[in-house]
Amino acid sequence: MNLVVCIKQVPDTETQIKVGADGKSINMDDIKWVMNPYDEFGVEEALRIKADKGGDVIVVGAGPKRVTEALRTALAMGADKAILIEDEGLYGADPIFVGKLLAKAIEPLNPDIVFFGQRAVDDDCGLASSSVAEALGMPQLAVIVKQELDGDTIKVQRPVEGQTNVLSTKLPVCLTAQKGLNEPRYASLPGIMKAKKKPLEVKTLADLGVERDDKIEIAAINPPPERAPGKVIQGETPEELAVNLAKALREEAKVI
Amino acid sequence: MDFELSMEQEILRRTVRSFAEKEIAPVARELDEKEEFSLETCRSMGELGLFGMVVSEEYGGQGMDYVSYIIAVEELARVDGSHAATVAAGNSLGIGPLLYYGSEAQKRKYLPKLCTGRSLWGFGLTEPNAGSDAGGARTTAVLDGDEWVINGSKIFITNASAPNSLGVTVMARTGTREDGRGAELSCILVERGTRGFTAREMHGKMMWRSSNTSELYFDDCRVPRENLLGQRGKGFHQMLETLDAGRLSIGAMGLGGAQGAYELAMRYAKEREQFGRPISSFQINAFKLADMAMEIEAARLLLYKACWLKDRHQPFGKLAAMAKLYCSEVMGRVASQAVQLHGGYGLMKEYNVERFFRDQKLLTIGEGTSEIQRLVIARLIGAI
């Protein structure tokens, strides 16, 4: 079974994001980069399928050289091989384009399942997986919390507003992982040492015969508004406090 | 000069940090309060690969360098001193002497088990009347035919009486030195369950309450002659070398503990408001945080340099003593100010920072007091 997991490297969720000087990118000076947390569920699920049914787990990432670290982390978790599509300018690219690019690298791997995280926690788009599914002519089962493989049929569960959709299709398929699918393993210390010797292939856009073809670009990034300081309602008696509160809500906050 | 860690070291740091936050942080306070060693967390630390980090794969270890080991201890200590102690003592004091001085047979027998973390090994050095004066040990081992007969006692021995403790290395007098100046000291391996050997868990500790600390009693305890570790009469030398390396892991506990206390203080000072402002915005508090950040950075550079020297097989004893001393004193200052920044809440267990305040005190006492470190450094710089 050929199991492919696409990995995006994103800022550590504890990083304080600052808008860059150009107003349409983030300031990357002090950022620690990690594997997108939803992608970890994808790596874990692929490793579990491998343990059960056999096969190879190949992780694929696109972006600057630093993405190597996220791929090595997946190798340390137990993946067999990694492919990095290295390009310094890819971070922040149109996700539909990134999907087409990934598809070019994935197609020759002849995948049975292509895993994604349900979205990346940096831009929250969740589009690259659909783009890959489209480019490779695969069905896409998105935001899943459970999967069962039976021969070439896969059945998945997808939570929808407190209910669960059960969907099924034939392989090959593109899946996107939601929290709850599994509990990702740690990259163990022996795993980290083994990962050093695992193959990591680097390709360029030119190697894949792809040129930048972004249909959208980021026009601006605005930081969230600063939280206004709280206001303490003054008053001597409960009645007076209530009157002043109502007044503030009506006249200042304009919510009633 | 290159201050960059390798990619493997970065991945390792992230792995251990995430493990410590998810697996240890949720149970640390309760284990501390109950003064209870956890077999479960010990096992999961073993499964992650935290024991035998610098041991080659041949004996079941991870084959990593010393910087990596120290990063792992630092990240554990950032969350909990007791668990960092179990790992630091397990590697430096339990596994270390067996790895460096053990015969091939001894290494094959013990290291694979110890490297899984399913078994622990203690290092019996300190005695009730021999602390800083370790050479004044009274425990004796007398050769009787093909057996050593050991008598005496040891105290404050980490990892020696846990449910999974497998045995101890014990330093004992085996005669008088050839030059007639003092005792001949040797290290001998004693397995748990040997008749005449008792390991008793010590309770009532101020710090490291969920690490295992023991008193050891040897009462006509007989072990085979081949349980001698390395050469007869080399015990004192082995002990000094073991402590040199052990100092690096104590340094890592100081560094990691300081980092953990600093992060707690920073978070609290930004959230806590007094006089209508976060208390971190008052210069007197902001300067405390600035001092903490500066001292932690200096401590990290000193410790990593000592490890870097060791990895390059260069003399590292002086820097190891400096790093042990400095990192433990930095944690003392940082933890104290971190509690201060928390005000009344800092005195409550619920806020965790008080555990860092207690745990730091061991570091200026264990594996060579700050006074002894200053003596070691003073000798190495030629002052005395």
Side-chain angles (χ1 to χ4, degrees):
Chain A
M1 184 144 311
N2 293 332
L3 304 158
V4 172
V5 189
C6 293
I7 288 177
K8 185 173 186 185
Q9 196 191 36
V10 298
D12 188 338
T13 45
E14 287 184 15
T15 307
Q16 282 198 335
I17 301 293
K18 293 184 197 119
V19 177
D22 63 358
K24 49 187 183 179
S25 63
I26 57 170
N27 182 336
M28 301 198 203
D29 290 350
D30 286 324
I31 289 183
K32 286 261 181 201
W33 297 89
V34 298
M35 188 193 312
N36 175 38
Y38 290 108
D39 300 349
E40 288 184 24
F41 300 122
V43 175
E44 177 63 35
E45 201 65 13
L47 292 172
R48 289 185 190 191
I49 293 175
K50 179 190 165 173
D52 192 29
K53 316 261 180 201
D56 273 325
V57 177
I58 304 170
V59 290
V60 182
K65 196 176 176 61
R66 58 169 162 76
V67 176
T68 312
E69 192 175 320
L71 296 173
R72 286 271 176 224
T73 303
L75 294 174
M77 287 171 76
D80 300 290
K81 186 185 158 190
I83 298 173
L84 170 65
I85 306 167
E86 189 180 329
D87 188 275
E88 289 303 315
L90 266 185
Y91 191 71
D94 179 352
I96 299 291
F97 165 73
V98 174
K100 287 181 196 163
L101 180 63
L102 289 169
K104 280 280 185 191
I106 294 169
E107 195 167 19
L109 304 174
N110 200 18
D112 295 291
I113 305 179
V114 180
F115 286 93
F116 276 83
Q118 55 111 333
R119 62 189 166 87
V121 298
D122 52 356
D123 59 17
D124 270 353
C125 281
L127 286 174
S129 56
S130 309
S131 175
V132 165
E134 173 72 18
L136 299 178
M138 289 179 180
Q140 186 202 28
L141 299 174
V143 201
I144 67 158
V145 293
K146 190 174 186 322
Q147 61 77 25
E148 275 172 67
L149 260 176
D150 183 11
D152 65 347
T153 302
I154 188 162
K155 199 157 82 175
V156 304
Q157 292 187 10
R158 177 178 198 272
V160 186
E161 293 283 327
Q163 309 169 46
T164 306
N165 277 354
V166 180
L167 307 164
S168 99
T169 189
K170 297 267 185 214
L171 300 184
V173 66
C174 176
L175 300 180
T176 80
Q178 168 68 314
K179 190 176 166 90
L181 179 62
N182 52 47
E183 191 57 48
R185 70 196 64 189
Y186 297 103
S188 73
L189 277 57
I192 293 171
M193 295 305 275
K194 281 191 199 123
K196 278 166 106 168
K197 295 173 202 142
K198 290 181 179 175
L200 190 146
E201 198 182 334
V202 180
K203 291 179 190 278
T204 61
L205 267 62
D207 292 340
L208 296 166
V210 178
E211 280 182 35
R212 282 296 285 266
D213 175 29
D214 301 41
K215 304 292 188 220
I216 56 167
E217 62 172 293
I218 297 169
I221 295 180
N222 299 317
E226 283 213 19
R227 201 164 57 111
K231 183 183 162 95
V232 179
I233 304 293
Q234 307 291 335
E236 295 294 324
T237 62
E239 288 77 10
E240 203 180 322
L241 281 166
V243 168
N244 289 341
L245 174 61
K247 212 169 151 186
L249 289 173
R250 192 183 188 90
E251 290 167 13
E252 289 174 42
K254 298 194 169 81
V255 291
I256 54 171
Chain B
M1 277 220 281
D2 182 1
F3 289 100
E4 205 160 38
L5 296 175
S6 73
M7 188 180 296
E8 284 71 30
Q9 288 161 344
E10 294 284 3
I11 296 174
L12 167 81
R13 183 189 292 284
R14 190 158 307 127
T15 283
V16 181
R17 175 169 295 203
S18 146
F19 171 86
E21 286 173 353
K22 285 191 200 141
E23 315 292 332
I24 296 173
V27 295
R29 191 196 313 153
E30 191 185 336
L31 290 171
D32 173 78
E33 239 178 297
K34 289 186 179 162
E35 201 173 22
E36 189 178 296
F37 173 86
S38 163
L39 209 49
E40 202 182 324
T41 50
C42 184
R43 199 165 283 169
S44 48
M45 291 194 295
E47 280 163 10
L48 192 66
L50 291 171
F51 292 92
M53 284 188 66
V54 302
V55 178
S56 67
E57 287 169 40
E58 184 187 359
Y59 299 109
Q62 326 310 347
M64 289 186 158
D65 59 14
Y66 233 80
V67 173
S68 301
Y69 165 46
I70 251 49
I71 289 172
V73 175
E74 176 190 344
E75 288 300 327
L76 291 172
R78 177 179 163 272
V79 166
D80 184 52
S82 294
H83 283 84
T86 302
V87 165
N91 281 287
S92 293
L93 306 181
I95 289 169
L98 289 164
L99 175 66
Y100 296 120
Y101 315 114
S103 66
E104 191 57 29
Q106 287 166 342
K107 286 199 267 194
R108 296 251 169 241
K109 185 173 180 188
Y110 298 116
L111 288 179
K113 284 183 198 165
L114 300 179
C115 289
T116 64
R118 288 188 164 266
S119 300
L120 294 172
W121 195 268
F123 183 60
L125 171 65
T126 300
E127 296 188 3
N129 294 310
S132 292
D133 181 15
R138 297 284 168 78
T139 299
T140 58
V142 179
L143 207 50
D144 178 26
D146 276 340
E147 288 180 328
W148 293 101
V149 184
I150 309 171
N151 279 288
S153 67
K154 299 282 174 182
I155 196 166
F156 307 132
I157 310 306
T158 306
N159 288 347
S161 61
N164 57 343
S165 295
L166 193 63
V168 295
T169 301
V170 54
M171 192 184 76
R173 288 168 175 251
T174 45
T176 309
R177 267 163 50 171
E178 277 175 16
D179 57 12
R181 293 166 57 184
E184 174 199 82
L185 296 163
S186 307
C187 287
I188 297 169
L189 309 179
V190 182
E191 289 184 19
R192 198 97 178 274
T194 305
R195 189 203 287 252
F197 169 45
T198 314
R200 188 177 297 156
E201 197 170 350
M202 295 174 75
H203 284 293
K205 288 184 291 180
M206 178 175 82
M207 50 356 93
W208 284 14
R209 287 168 56 85
S210 56
S211 92
N212 172 268
T213 309
S214 327
E215 280 179 289
L216 313 179
Y217 302 97
F218 302 91
D219 185 11
D220 283 333
C221 171
R222 288 176 171 266
V223 297
R225 183 182 193 142
E226 61 265 23
N227 280 24
L228 181 72
L229 183 72
Q231 284 175 11
R232 182 172 176 165
K234 291 283 185 191
F236 195 69
H237 181 73
Q238 292 169 349
M239 181 270 292
L240 289 180
E241 274 191 356
T242 299
L243 290 186
D244 266 352
R247 276 172 196 146
L248 298 174
S249 54
I250 291 278
M253 297 185 60
L255 173 61
Q259 178 74 34
Y262 161 72
E263 287 177 26
L264 289 174
M266 178 68 105
R267 195 176 316 145
Y268 183 82
K270 282 181 155 179
E271 283 170 6
R272 170 76 168 173
E273 291 191 1
Q274 290 289 278
F275 307 102
R277 292 159 57 182
I279 61 167
S280 64
S281 69
F282 295 108
Q283 267 193 353
I284 194 160
N285 293 331
F287 286 4
K288 280 180 184 152
L289 291 161
D291 283 344
M292 289 182 190
M294 173 184 69
E295 289 207 288
I296 289 169
E297 195 62 31
R300 182 170 286 122
L301 290 178
L302 182 54
L303 178 63
Y304 285 12
K305 185 173 177 194
C307 297
W308 176 81
L309 286 172
K310 178 160 169 57
D311 279 330
R312 291 167 65 107
H313 306 291
Q314 293 181 22
F316 68 99
K318 181 173 76 183
L319 259 70
M322 287 179 174
K324 192 269 185 192
L325 173 62
Y326 189 66
C327 291
S328 52
E329 294 195 349
V330 163
M331 185 183 173
R333 288 192 285 273
V334 169
S336 174
Q337 291 294 9
V339 171
Q340 190 70 24
L341 277 163
H342 278 73
Y345 296 104
L347 306 172
M348 305 303 292
K349 288 199 187 299
E350 191 189 339
Y351 281 75
N352 288 325
V353 70
E354 65 85 37
R355 195 171 75 242
F356 288 83
F357 182 73
R358 285 184 284 114
D359 280 345
Q360 61 81 20
K361 199 55 209 163
L362 180 126
L363 306 178
T364 63
I365 295 173
E367 289 195 46
T369 60
S370 289
E371 290 75 11
I372 291 293
Q373 302 309 325
R374 288 193 163 82
L375 187 63
V376 169
I377 297 165
R379 281 181 183 150
L380 288 169
I381 62 171
I384 40 178

